Amino acid sequence: MSESPLPAVYTKTEPRPAPNGQGTGLFATTDLGVGKVVLNIKTPYVAVLDTPRLEDTCSGCLGRRQHGEPGVVLKACTGCQVVKYCDRCLAQYSTVSSPFFSSSLLFTSLYHYTSLTNSEKTCQAKDWKFSHSLECAIFKQLRPRVLPNNARAVLRMVLRAAKGRYSPPELDAFSKLETHAREIRQLNPQQWGRIALSSKAIKMYSGTDVEEEVISACGAKLDLNSFNLTNTVYDRVGLYLHPYAALINHSCDYNSVVGFDGDELFVKAVRPIKKDDQIFISYIDTTYPSTVRRSELSERYFFNCDCSKCKLGLDAPEARFLSGSHDTSKLHAVEGEARKLMQSAAADDSPLVTVQKLKSAMHLLHETSAWPVTRQPYVSLRDELITALISAGLFDEAFIQAAIRYLRVDPVVYRQDGHPIRQVHAWALVKLAIHLSADAGETRLEPLFRNHHIATPNLSLLVWSVLHRLVHMEDQSCVVPSFKDMLHATFDDVQQEFERGRSNPRSMTSEINTQWEQIGALVDLVLANE
Ligand SMILES: C[S@@+](CC[C@H](N)C(=O)[O-])C[C@H]1O[C@@H](n2cnc3c(N)ncnc32)[C@H](O)[C@@H]1O
């Protein structure tokens, strides 16, 4: 992996002009196999948590330790009480006076900050050094109001730039990023209004002499170029920006995927890439039909996608209905009803009501006899249903739904075995099976199989077979290192459990196949009655 001129950036790519009005793009400098690292960035230009995640995610490791070490408790920064850190990594403090904010900021009293005397490897010390020392007093002054994520991100960039924390190549790369500021002003006046208001506030809070217009341009750059920051299991936790990663253009038929391990970014090849090929990621959820994708891309990113998948239009697999003749206007009406139910389910507080609404929406689609389980919004409805069933404590039903997704949806929707979403869904199935098999008494799973005259499968064998497959295909897998570590640790535990029981699943291939046949039979019956 060669180091780029930008600090902390390791890559097998270089920026070049891209064809078809795509501006600059990144191009492979060598052939790259599936699962290979295309780009690894150790330190973000800026990364912030979404406001609700400030409560439950460490602002230092961005949740990396929380997944590896269950039971980690978060403690609030004693200064601002807004950001929290893993307790195991909290530093020892001594309180000293800070000269930082006395003049430039709006504070009447001298703020006391805690100087860190412990190792810099701690989450709080790391974040303090990176940026929090510059913003802590501002957050404290504003409490109980917490700035929105994009305002906190722009504030961080302004404060870090003022303290000379960015190198000249980083500042230069950031300055060259596309903003589409003119299009935002003309076409999305609400977005521009939010950016402008936020810039005014940032200028006031930070006391910076940078002009509001320049801060607004930072805000527009952030909106256009930031990534969804995700945790180890690919749940969104915040915003991330780096000017090198921001050069990657979009294709719905992408060859690479992005993931985060704490604040470290990984771009991996999800398909084989040849030297000089352009690197493409997806900016949006590509499981939706081209009409939806194209309008999302033109509204937020101001371009018309012309990729091979978009060219297929209604002939593309994700847009097709089941074979037969269909009244399309009726199908659209049903889709509208299903979407309304989905929206109202999202707004509901009660998991059981949410479950009912989502099931009703799925039933509407199923009743058309035209809607494949792999066509949106069916796919998203099932994802939401699994989450709602888990919240409602209905783990057996969640397990069956996760098995439907694993066996019948994902192989079509995410064709590559190593696709991170496919791996995360497999992990969810494993977790549910482990949870159910740990239940001492009879779970509701047994009657479910019995009622359909199917023998109940041995969940431990299923868990072993999924984990065995995931661990053995890890070279081709596009997940981040902490996810792989989690799989390894769980597989080792399961393997040891079998060894203690003096059995060896490696020699039980036909038993394992039988368990999958049993699961497959129930999955098809549940789908037929959806
Ligand atoms: C995150 S930036 C990517 C880097 C950008 N090409 C540059 O030169 O700074 C996103 C912008 O790149 C352009 N872009 C990305 N993918 C594209 C595509 N498939 N076709 C046309 N333009 C694209 C659009 O202008 C979009 O708003």
Side-chain angles (χ1 to χ4, degrees):
M1 189 84 16
S2 42
E3 201 168 348
S4 95
L6 293 172
V9 174
Y10 301 87
T11 187
K12 297 253 168 87
T13 66
E14 65 186 20
R16 291 182 205 162
N20 310 322
Q22 295 172 7
T24 305
L26 292 186
F27 291 77
T29 49
T30 177
D31 290 355
L32 290 157
V34 173
K36 291 286 169 279
V37 177
V38 175
L39 169 65
N40 170 219
I41 302 182
K42 304 276 182 203
T43 312
Y45 194 82
V46 73
V48 295
L49 292 174
D50 292 336
T51 304
R53 297 284 73 78
L54 289 171
E55 276 302 304
D56 60 20
T57 307
C58 171
S59 284
C61 66
L62 304 175
R64 172 157 43 186
R65 281 198 172 100
Q66 284 167 280
H67 281 279
E69 300 169 29
V72 168
V73 175
L74 299 182
K75 291 201 175 147
C77 164
T78 48
C80 65
Q81 303 280 328
V82 171
V83 296
K84 292 187 170 178
Y85 300 101
C86 299
D87 63 340
R88 290 186 196 164
C89 352
L90 277 180
Q92 306 293 311
Y93 304 114
S94 63
T95 304
V96 294
S97 301
S98 164
F100 266 143
F101 302 114
S102 49
S103 58
S104 65
L105 301 175
L106 306 170
F107 309 120
T108 45
S109 64
L110 198 64
Y111 176 59
H112 286 263
Y113 81 106
T114 48
S115 86
L116 301 158
T117 57
N118 207 355
S119 136
E120 288 193 350
K121 286 190 191 112
T122 67
C123 286
Q124 182 164 29
K126 181 180 161 213
D127 195 37
W128 184 261
K129 187 174 170 204
F130 185 74
S131 197
H132 192 58
S133 57
L134 309 176
E135 71 200 5
C136 184
I138 300 175
F139 288 4
K140 187 183 181 194
Q141 181 80 2
L142 290 172
R143 258 190 85 220
R145 202 155 64 82
V146 176
L147 290 173
N149 56 3
N150 36 27
R152 278 184 278 116
V154 175
L155 179 67
R156 271 196 164 197
M157 291 194 273
V158 168
L159 294 173
R160 292 194 81 226
K163 287 279 167 197
R165 302 261 171 102
Y166 293 118
S167 66
E170 283 174 308
L171 289 171
D172 183 51
F174 181 75
S175 74
K176 288 183 181 146
L177 287 181
E178 178 66 81
T179 60
H180 283 300
R182 196 167 45 85
E183 287 91 337
I184 299 177
R185 267 182 214 252
Q186 276 173 9
L187 303 168
N188 293 342
Q190 249 186 331
Q191 184 189 356
W192 188 257
R194 195 242 314 138
I195 291 172
L197 196 68
S198 175
S199 310
K200 202 181 270 303
I202 288 163
K203 184 162 173 66
M204 189 171 74
Y205 300 143
S206 64
T208 177
D209 50 16
V210 177
E211 284 169 19
E212 251 173 69
E213 288 249 319
V214 177
I215 304 177
S216 290
C218 270
K221 272 182 192 168
L222 182 80
D223 280 8
L224 191 83
N225 295 285
S226 61
F227 289 85
N228 283 335
L229 175 69
T230 49
N231 63 15
T232 314
V233 287
Y234 291 79
D235 287 329
R236 180 186 157 119
V237 291
L239 286 175
Y240 173 101
L241 176 84
H242 193 284
Y244 193 83
L247 293 177
I248 309 177
N249 283 324
H250 163 92
S251 169
C252 304
D253 198 12
Y254 50 93
N255 54 20
S256 302
V257 286
V258 181
F260 295 90
D261 212 346
D263 62 0
E264 206 176 327
L265 171 141
F266 287 88
V267 178
K268 294 191 177 191
V270 77
R271 293 209 320 245
I273 295 172
K274 288 263 165 232
K275 182 175 186 284
D276 297 325
D277 279 355
Q278 186 175 176
I279 307 300
F280 287 112
I281 54 168
S282 165
Y283 293 177
I284 49 159
D285 183 346
T286 54
T287 59
Y288 281 86
S290 60
T291 40
V292 179
R293 300 198 305 265
R294 287 186 139 188
S295 72
E296 215 178 320
L297 288 167
S298 76
E299 269 168 39
R300 176 156 177 211
Y301 297 98
F302 308 101
F303 70 91
N304 291 317
C305 189
D306 204 21
C307 73
S308 51
K309 200 169 161 171
C310 282
K311 280 191 183 129
L312 284 175
L314 294 177
D315 288 332
E318 70 280 356
R320 268 183 232 141
F321 288 105
L322 294 172
S323 53
S325 59
H326 308 295
D327 176 348
T328 36
S329 62
K330 199 169 156 211
L331 289 179
H332 284 310
V334 172
E335 180 172 5
E337 281 299 301
R339 283 190 190 283
K340 262 193 231 152
L341 274 166
M342 193 170 163
Q343 271 166 9
S344 93
D348 217 297
D349 283 345
S350 148
L352 280 177
V353 178
T354 304
V355 164
Q356 278 321 316
K357 286 182 179 167
L358 293 169
K359 281 186 176 174
S360 305
M362 290 162 82
H363 182 65
L364 286 177
L365 298 178
H366 174 78
E367 263 194 325
T368 63
S369 307
W371 219 284
V373 290
T374 50
R375 191 188 199 277
Q376 289 287 15
Y378 222 147
V379 179
S380 298
L381 282 164
R382 196 175 311 281
D383 289 341
E384 299 289 321
L385 178 63
I386 293 167
T387 308
L389 287 167
I390 293 171
S391 304
L394 300 170
F395 299 111
D396 28 34
E397 266 198 75
F399 170 76
I400 297 296
Q401 290 297 334
I404 293 176
R405 182 168 70 178
Y406 179 76
L407 292 173
R408 304 286 183 259
V409 181
D410 284 359
V412 178
V413 174
Y414 304 106
R415 295 195 174 229
Q416 301 85 7
D417 233 5
H419 196 293
I421 298 184
R422 237 174 120 171
Q423 303 250 321
V424 167
H425 289 172
W427 172 246
L429 181 71
V430 162
K431 292 279 278 184
L432 282 162
I434 290 176
H435 182 83
L436 289 174
S437 58
D439 255 1
E442 187 184 72
T443 66
R444 282 177 47 202
L445 212 51
E446 280 95 6
L448 210 59
F449 280 92
R450 222 173 20 235
N451 292 345
H452 290 98
H453 310 290
I454 304 168
T456 310
N458 175 334
L459 294 184
S460 305
L461 272 184
L462 289 174
V463 165
W464 184 90
S465 76
V466 176
L467 287 172
H468 181 259
R469 193 176 71 80
L470 295 179
V471 164
H472 283 83
M473 59 161 294
E474 74 166 11
D475 282 355
Q476 312 249 310
S477 156
C478 296
V479 291
V480 295
S482 291
F483 189 93
K484 289 187 183 178
D485 292 346
M486 202 166 65
L487 288 180
H488 270 276
T490 314
F491 181 64
D492 289 348
D493 285 350
V494 172
Q495 179 72 34
Q496 279 168 17
E497 194 66 33
F498 274 102
E499 281 165 14
R500 274 196 290 277
R502 297 186 184 285
S503 59
N504 180 9
R506 284 175 213 277
S507 59
M508 296 167 77
T509 313
S510 81
E511 283 99 320
I512 290 173
N513 290 342
T514 306
Q515 314 308 308
W516 282 112
E517 279 161 21
Q518 289 161 215
I519 289 274
L522 186 69
V523 153
D524 290 336
L525 281 168
V526 172
L527 278 176
N529 293 303
E530 201 150 75

